[in-house]
Amino acid sequence: MKSKLLLMVLLLFTSFAFSQTLDVTGTVLDGSGLSLPGVNVKVKSSSQSTTTDFDGSFKLSGLPKGTTIVFSYIGFRTQEVVVSGTKITVKMSDDARSLDEVVVIGYGSQKKREVTGAVSVLDSKTLDILKPARIEQALQGTISGVNVTTQSGAPGAPIDVRIRGIATNGQNGPTTIIDGYVGELNVLNPNDIESITVLKDAQAAIYGTIGANGIILVTTKMGKKNSKTKISFNSYTGFQEASTKLSILNATEYALLLNESYANGGKALPYPNVSGLGKGTDWQKEVLGKGVPLLNSDLTISGGSEKITYSISGSHLDQQGIVGGDKSGYLRNTARIGLGVDLSDKIKLKTNVIYTYFNRKTINENGLGSVLFNALNVPATLSPYDANGNFTLVPSTTGFGTEIINPLAQIENTYNDYNYKKLNGNFGLDYKIFKGFVLSSSIGFNTANSENKTFDPQISYGGKVFDVQRSSVTQRTVNDNDYSFDIYATYNTKIADNHNITATLGNTIYKQWGNSAVATGFDVPNNSWEFADLSLTKGLPTALNTGGYVYDQRRISYFGRAQYDYKGKYLFSAMIRRDSSTKFGPGNKVGYFPSFTAGWVVSDEGFFGESQTLNFLKFRASYGTLGNDQIPNNGYLSILNGEATYVFDGVLVNGIATGQIPNENLKWEEAKKFDVGLDLKLFNDKFSVVADYFIDTRKDLLIPNIPVSGIIGVGAPGASAPTMNAGTVRNSGFEFAIDYKEKFSDSFSMSLGYNVTFLKNEVLEVNNGTGFIEQGAFGVGQPAAARMEAGKPIGYFYGYITDGIFQNQAEVDAHPSQLALGANASAGDIRYKDINNDGLIDTKDRTDIGDPIADATMGFNIQLNYKNLDFAVYTFASVGNDMVRNYERVLSDANRLDYVLDRWTGEGTSTTVPKVTTGATANNVLSDYFVEDASYLRIQNVQLGYTINPKVTQKAGITKLRLYTGVNNLYTFTKYKGFDPGASFGPTNQDGVSQSPIGAGIDYGFYPVPRTYLLGLNINF
């Protein structure tokens, strides 16, 4: 009896012990001991969860002893803590590159350790440090294989992104996918972005015909479940200036040199008395502003409950240009709302809607007659204003030509205004039909409207090509729309604990349509911008003054992907996409794009052991076919969109004619992508290494304006030669990235990153009858400056090779005649090589004299944290890219860069710079004399920040207050003489849409990227 009673007492106490629950409170800290708000705190194997509040604290009720709590936060290693008492303090360690990090790969995601393609990720932390005005700028130097070039440093100017080289003469830019729909990077506020994922190889084949140039996947920020409302305000202000000035002759130097030039040409001296000229006008100083303002602010409100997450944000950017004063500027406003709702345990709704408005004002940039072109060529002897206060006229004598004008007058009479409004986003549903099987659907949309107004006042610059006889205003409106509907099913299952399978099957429908109208009105009232409106112009046109277009295209696609792994160490993936597009004729509408990837996690093998040095090793490979259809619509049809003038009853009548010559055999451009790589972690994950070797072969290039028989007219306005599949280009190379992270103490940590990409670009064939395609301009009236030709890089420069300077007449007599180049040579002139050894220097001696494609690009980045201080430096380098110096007008009276002071003045004085003369010479033909190595190293960003101790700021309800200062584009190390060795801008193709790489790298005086000094703050409530 006593034993039974004792047993009952023991059972009672045991039952009480097991049924005892605790209310657990705690605090979560980061590595430096600061409170960490927004951490997800979840009871393992339960739906119970919460997030830490502004001071890093949390509370969970009714937990049995022994319960495991999981703490997770982006950028930190997930930790598990077993409940043993009522109070917990957790210190989370940084682990931004954790192998368990989830990576978006398109229509799904994978753990980083399981990814078998060449995939790179840029997180919001890096964006926060770089503070780019445009998101594209943040990709430069931070991701291997990605090269970013500016078309201009003007505010809001287009930025070109190239992934693993340039492969086609048409559209080379990657496709951007924002939360699942096709979008554009330039409409986003950088602070709205959670991460950017770049798909560089056959992994992008799931996107089929839009994936050949690579895919950029953008994930925007969302609120977190069970978290209090968080308010984040970020703002910075600053000022801008030109990062460099060119060394131009001052007034006295110019006058002396011009006298010498005229004397060598047998002419009277233009400046008999040079005393008193001094330095004269610094035209660069006149047009380049200093202390030009910049302001950016954004506000985000986010949070969530058990069923709903939300993120609402707005931003404002106002950036004035460093050239042109108030005639050059960019203002952008964005508003965004992201919402996630659990409608039930099985159905989830998600939506993301973004509104963008921007206004851009522009001046004449990057061309013959641009503002900077004029500032470099107008001599310092001329004053900006005459005695009456009017703009000084540049003489219209032969020595100055007809295109050099006063750049200040040019700015004053420039009126370009562009407004753009865009609403884009998506609405999606996820339906969990049963365990492991999810049906997802999404509707994405873009609708954009833009208005552009250009006013040309009646003005005379003294007999120049820029003279305007009749004032006019041109107004253009554009309406562009698209929508996409995606529906796909994802099934995950595990077989026998070791075999993991994920299958995805789906369908995409895409439609794009729009229209445009443009008209020009003449004789603007009062010759004034205030009255520049079509409704007020009454002047009769002398030619067709209206135009526009309308378009409609559609694409329907089916895709599937199967992913398999065995024990997480043998990884396989196969995918295929079928696209059907209205851009191609009946026989070529459909394309199939398959790819395969595989990986082997060697470090999971038993024979690998527990290495203390090598912690993780994965080999991977991929091969697949992707497509490119980025050309205008209806290239296979004959359309009446050309212009023509007809005679009816003796009267000229404006009418229409056929436009581009059709090509019914037009088909997809195909990219065969091969990649092998490895991922490696060393020394307790302190070192992370990623290496890849790749070959990208682009076949059936879609090349616009292929020359055809002269019998078929293509010279009329609106008419053009056809777009054809006419070439093959191969890009091959090697990428390497290494990162190092070390936490030396609770007070001091450091991270270093270095990446390099080696690239070889080669054209394999050009099937257009001539074997080459020419584009790009140099000087005035000279042959095309660049070519696409088999065996050479695309867009290589085509000209003459120099062989020093003739030192005397005997050397001239002994050399083949150069008369075919425009003039007999004499002592002091440039000597050209006889490439074909026919005893004559002529056009047959033109050859490869350089190319604009870099042999290697690299980035080096460092971040330091000491207590509350943080410091970061980001750099980028480009090696082996050439540029053509074309901003010097070779007219006799134009100004010069001061390198001409080292000119030839007699035998033995110079072997590199020819004499100056007004006489006829062949010194100004395109040769390697005008081609420079534009390799450079740029300190892109330097930032120093200080976070005020949260114990102080929390008294005001502020969880984080960080102040920082920084400089963007601090300094560029280069031997290139021009403004910006990193700029590149090719001519517009005949299709009027794409930019050609044939002719890129020819510098007319690129608008320089400004140096920006910033002062800002981050506040979280």
Side-chain angles (χ1 to χ4, degrees):
M1 181 67 182
K2 289 181 179 180
S3 61
K4 290 183 178 180
L5 182 61
L6 179 60
L7 179 61
M8 291 178 63
V9 171
L10 288 173
L11 288 174
L12 179 63
F13 275 101
T14 302
S15 176
F16 176 77
F18 278 101
S19 63
Q20 183 182 13
T21 60
L22 303 173
D23 292 338
V24 178
T25 60
T27 303
V28 180
L29 309 174
D30 65 12
S32 60
L34 298 176
S35 301
L36 197 59
V39 176
N40 188 40
V41 184
K42 186 178 186 301
V43 177
K44 193 171 184 178
S45 303
S46 170
S47 61
Q48 186 177 3
S49 64
T50 185
T51 58
T52 57
D53 58 19
F54 69 90
D55 60 355
S57 61
F58 69 92
K59 181 178 181 180
L60 292 170
S61 301
L63 301 184
K65 275 191 175 182
T67 299
T68 300
I69 304 177
V70 182
F71 298 86
S72 60
Y73 191 66
I74 294 174
F76 292 85
R77 187 186 301 274
T78 298
Q79 295 188 30
E80 296 185 358
V81 176
V82 177
V83 174
S84 59
T86 58
K87 290 187 177 182
I88 297 175
T89 299
V90 178
K91 182 175 285 189
M92 301 191 71
S93 58
D94 291 343
D95 191 24
R97 295 169 179 83
S98 168
L99 294 173
D100 291 328
E101 178 185 345
V102 174
V103 176
V104 178
I105 58 172
Y107 300 106
S109 59
Q110 277 184 303
K111 288 184 178 180
K112 196 167 186 178
R113 62 171 290 124
E114 298 171 354
V115 172
T116 50
V119 178
S120 296
V121 179
L122 182 71
D123 60 23
S124 58
K125 284 186 176 181
T126 304
L127 287 170
D128 191 50
I129 293 171
L130 291 173
K131 290 292 183 294
R134 294 274 297 275
I135 295 166
E136 299 96 319
Q137 297 166 331
L139 300 174
Q140 184 75 296
T142 57
I143 295 180
S144 62
V146 177
N147 193 21
V148 180
T149 57
T150 57
Q151 295 187 10
S152 166
I159 296 176
D160 294 326
V161 179
R162 302 291 180 257
I163 298 176
R164 291 185 168 178
I166 296 171
T168 178
N169 188 36
Q171 175 57 256
N172 276 281
T175 300
T176 299
I177 309 293
I178 305 172
D179 292 331
Y181 68 94
V182 177
E184 296 176 283
L185 287 175
N186 67 338
V187 302
L188 294 175
N189 167 26
N191 203 48
D192 282 338
I193 294 178
E194 185 66 53
S195 67
I196 298 175
T197 303
V198 181
L199 308 182
K200 296 182 280 190
D201 67 343
Q203 185 87 50
I206 195 73
Y207 289 102
T209 186
I210 60 175
N213 298 325
I215 298 291
I216 295 178
L217 301 173
V218 177
T219 302
T220 57
K221 293 179 179 178
M222 289 293 294
K224 297 177 176 61
K225 285 187 175 182
N226 299 306
S227 63
K228 295 180 181 179
T229 298
K230 176 183 176 182
I231 300 175
S232 175
F233 176 73
N234 302 283
S235 181
Y236 63 81
T237 186
F239 61 90
Q240 310 162 90
E241 63 182 18
S243 57
T244 186
K245 279 182 62 180
L246 306 194
S247 297
I248 302 295
L249 298 179
N250 63 36
T252 301
E253 293 170 334
Y254 168 80
L256 289 170
L257 194 78
L258 199 63
N259 282 344
E260 181 181 323
S261 176
Y262 271 63
N264 287 338
K267 296 181 179 180
L269 302 185
Y271 292 95
N273 183 9
V274 300
S275 62
L277 289 177
K279 293 187 176 181
T281 303
D282 184 344
W283 287 100
Q284 291 181 88
K285 184 177 179 181
E286 294 291 334
V287 301
L288 291 171
K290 296 194 71 173
V292 179
L294 169 70
L295 174 66
N296 183 82
S297 300
D298 61 73
L299 178 70
T300 302
I301 303 172
S302 62
S305 63
E306 183 67 30
K307 299 290 186 179
I308 298 175
T309 60
Y310 60 89
S311 179
I312 303 169
S313 66
S315 73
H316 172 78
L317 170 68
D318 191 354
Q319 181 182 13
Q320 292 187 22
I322 60 172
V323 181
D326 60 1
K327 297 297 181 70
S328 174
Y330 181 66
L331 184 148
R332 184 191 68 206
N333 293 319
T334 70
R336 171 182 170 267
I337 180 168
L339 184 67
V341 181
D342 292 352
L343 300 177
S344 69
D345 292 339
K346 291 190 173 184
I347 302 178
K348 296 182 179 181
L349 168 71
K350 52 187 177 182
T351 182
N352 181 45
V353 178
I354 303 168
Y355 173 77
T356 302
Y357 164 83
F358 69 75
N359 172 266
R360 185 171 183 235
K361 296 180 180 179
T362 58
I363 58 173
N364 194 330
E365 306 168 18
N366 302 346
L368 194 67
S370 69
V371 170
L372 285 174
F373 175 91
N374 284 310
L376 296 176
N377 286 281
V378 175
T381 53
L382 291 179
S383 300
Y385 306 95
D386 60 23
N388 298 319
N390 299 317
F391 290 111
T392 300
L393 297 178
V394 177
S396 56
T397 59
T398 303
F400 284 104
T402 60
E403 73 274 4
I404 299 177
I405 62 175
N406 186 328
L408 296 180
Q410 183 180 18
I411 293 172
E412 178 70 19
N413 292 287
T414 296
Y415 301 90
N416 292 316
D417 192 74
Y418 179 74
N419 291 294
Y420 181 88
K421 306 178 186 72
K422 183 168 188 175
L423 185 69
N424 63 111
N426 70 336
F427 298 89
L429 282 174
D430 290 337
Y431 177 33
K432 185 178 180 181
I433 298 177
F434 54 81
K435 183 180 179 181
F437 188 85
V438 178
L439 184 65
S440 302
S441 64
S442 175
I443 295 178
F445 65 91
N446 291 271
T447 179
N449 293 277
S450 64
E451 298 177 353
N452 178 232
K453 180 189 287 188
T454 301
F455 170 53
D456 293 317
Q458 183 180 1
I459 186 71
S460 173
Y461 295 101
K464 303 288 184 174
V465 294
F466 295 103
D467 291 357
V468 178
Q469 305 301 323
R470 297 178 67 188
S471 63
S472 66
V473 58
T474 299
Q475 293 178 239
R476 178 189 298 271
T477 62
V478 178
N479 175 252
D480 293 319
N481 307 274
D482 69 62
Y483 76 82
S484 59
F485 176 71
D486 296 282
I487 184 167
Y488 59 96
T490 304
Y491 177 64
N492 293 282
T493 189
K494 178 176 288 189
I495 301 174
D497 293 329
N498 293 324
H499 304 272
N500 300 293
I501 299 173
T502 300
T504 304
L505 187 65
N507 165 239
T508 295
I509 298 171
Y510 180 80
K511 176 180 171 69
Q512 187 177 38
W513 73 100
N515 57 73
S516 169
V518 60
T520 300
F522 295 89
D523 302 333
V524 175
N526 300 323
N527 196 35
S528 169
W529 170 250
E530 285 72 23
F531 295 90
D533 191 89
L534 287 174
S535 63
L536 300 177
T537 56
K538 305 301 180 184
L540 296 177
T542 57
L544 183 67
N545 69 325
T546 59
Y549 59 79
V550 61
Y551 69 95
D552 184 349
Q553 71 178 57
R554 295 168 301 282
R555 183 170 60 241
I556 185 168
S557 310
Y558 302 92
F559 58 88
R561 176 173 60 208
Q563 298 162 274
Y564 166 80
D565 74 78
Y566 174 71
K567 291 186 175 181
K569 60 183 178 180
Y570 306 122
L571 313 167
F572 301 95
S573 173
M575 62 196 79
I576 188 169
R577 177 156 171 150
R578 177 192 185 275
D579 282 323
S580 179
S581 172
T582 57
K583 287 192 175 183
F584 304 98
N588 296 304
K589 285 186 179 297
V590 177
Y592 293 89
F593 306 100
S595 74
F596 306 90
T597 69
W600 177 28
V601 183
V602 182
S603 53
D604 281 1
E605 296 289 358
F607 63 78
F608 196 82
E610 295 292 332
S611 172
Q612 297 299 312
T613 301
L614 202 160
N615 311 119
F616 177 80
L617 173 63
K618 177 178 67 178
F619 293 112
R620 48 185 168 74
S622 66
Y623 179 77
T625 301
L626 295 90
N628 182 24
D629 71 344
Q630 303 303 295
I631 58 173
N633 297 295
N634 304 313
Y636 67 97
L637 294 174
S638 180
I639 299 177
L640 292 172
N641 60 353
E643 301 175 18
T645 303
Y646 302 92
V647 178
F648 289 102
D649 296 329
V651 178
L652 290 176
V653 178
N654 294 325
I656 59 175
T658 56
Q660 176 178 284
I661 295 173
N663 175 17
E664 63 181 12
N665 296 317
L666 206 60
K667 63 179 181 179
W668 311 97
E669 193 175 280
E670 285 191 346
K672 305 287 187 181
K673 292 181 180 282
F674 168 76
D675 183 280
V676 291
L678 63 85
D679 301 327
L680 183 67
K681 285 185 177 290
L682 302 163
F683 303 108
N684 295 320
D685 294 343
K686 292 179 181 179
F687 286 91
S688 176
V689 176
V690 179
D692 285 89
Y693 173 75
F694 61 89
I695 301 175
D696 181 352
T697 303
R698 190 72 63 92
K699 297 178 63 178
D700 297 322
L701 299 188
L702 290 165
I703 301 177
N705 201 34
I706 294 291
V708 294
S709 169
I711 298 175
I712 304 176
V714 295
S720 66
T723 296
M724 297 179 65
N725 299 97
T728 301
V729 173
R730 180 176 62 209
N731 285 288
S732 58
F734 175 72
E735 295 175 5
F736 177 81
I738 183 169
D739 294 283
Y740 169 68
K741 294 190 69 174
E742 179 67 86
K743 189 170 184 179
F744 299 98
S745 68
D746 289 342
S747 300
F748 180 56
S749 62
M750 176 179 69
S751 65
L752 302 173
Y754 173 77
N755 66 81
V756 61
T757 302
F758 298 96
L759 181 71
K760 181 182 179 181
N761 176 278
E762 183 181 5
V763 177
L764 301 183
E765 59 180 349
V766 178
N767 304 321
N768 67 336
T770 63
F772 61 85
I773 297 172
E774 292 184 320
Q775 281 180 285
F778 176 80
V780 177
Q782 294 200 36
R787 282 191 169 190
M788 175 181 177
E789 186 176 9
K792 300 289 185 179
I794 189 169
Y796 79 96
F797 304 131
Y798 191 66
Y800 300 94
I801 294 180
T802 60
D803 189 23
I805 305 295
F806 289 114
Q807 297 299 315
N808 50 54
Q809 189 60 40
E811 291 186 2
V812 175
D813 295 338
H815 192 69
S817 172
Q818 299 183 173
L819 180 60
L821 303 188
N824 281 313
S826 61
D829 284 339
I830 295 175
R831 176 169 49 206
Y832 300 103
K833 286 188 177 181
D834 184 9
I835 299 299
N836 62 355
N837 296 313
D838 64 354
L840 182 68
I841 307 297
D842 57 15
T843 56
K844 296 177 183 178
D845 293 302
R846 290 192 296 164
T847 187
D848 181 359
I849 57 173
D851 73 88
I853 300 176
D855 298 321
T857 56
M858 60 193 76
F860 176 72
N861 315 310
I862 180 171
Q863 297 178 44
L864 303 172
N865 291 273
Y866 179 71
K867 294 185 177 180
N868 293 355
L869 281 171
D870 59 87
F871 176 74
V873 178
Y874 281 74
T875 65
F876 176 78
S878 178
V879 180
N881 54 300
D882 299 316
M883 292 188 76
V884 175
R885 191 176 68 249
N886 194 33
Y887 46 79
E888 298 174 285
R889 189 67 173 96
V890 292
L891 293 163
S892 62
D893 289 14
N895 205 354
R896 297 281 193 274
L897 270 69
D898 65 0
Y899 74 85
V900 299
L901 297 177
D902 296 326
R903 69 208 175 279
W904 184 93
T905 57
E907 188 168 350
T909 56
S910 176
T911 59
T912 56
V913 182
K915 67 184 179 183
V916 292
T917 180
T918 58
T921 74
N923 294 337
N924 298 323
V925 298
L926 176 59
S927 68
D928 57 9
Y929 175 73
F930 295 99
V931 177
E932 296 183 27
D933 180 1
S935 301
Y936 68 94
L937 168 64
R938 175 170 291 163
I939 303 176
Q940 295 196 125
N941 179 276
V942 177
Q943 187 177 124
L944 176 65
Y946 180 77
T947 301
I948 297 176
N949 193 320
K951 294 180 180 179
V952 176
T953 60
Q954 285 172 6
K955 296 177 181 179
I958 298 174
T959 59
K960 178 181 179 181
L961 175 57
R962 176 177 177 266
L963 305 174
Y964 65 90
T965 184
V967 185
N968 290 343
N969 191 29
L970 176 61
Y971 192 79
T972 301
F973 299 90
T974 183
K975 293 182 179 180
Y976 181 63
K977 298 184 183 73
F979 280 112
D980 189 354
S984 186
F985 181 76
T988 302
N989 281 318
Q990 189 70 34
D991 59 23
V993 179
S994 59
Q995 297 290 330
S996 174
I998 310 173
I1002 299 176
D1003 188 354
Y1004 289 96
F1006 282 118
Y1007 191 129
V1009 176
R1011 178 184 295 128
T1012 306
Y1013 301 90
L1014 302 176
L1015 180 65
L1017 59 85
N1018 310 128
I1019 304 178
N1020 292 342
F1021 297 93

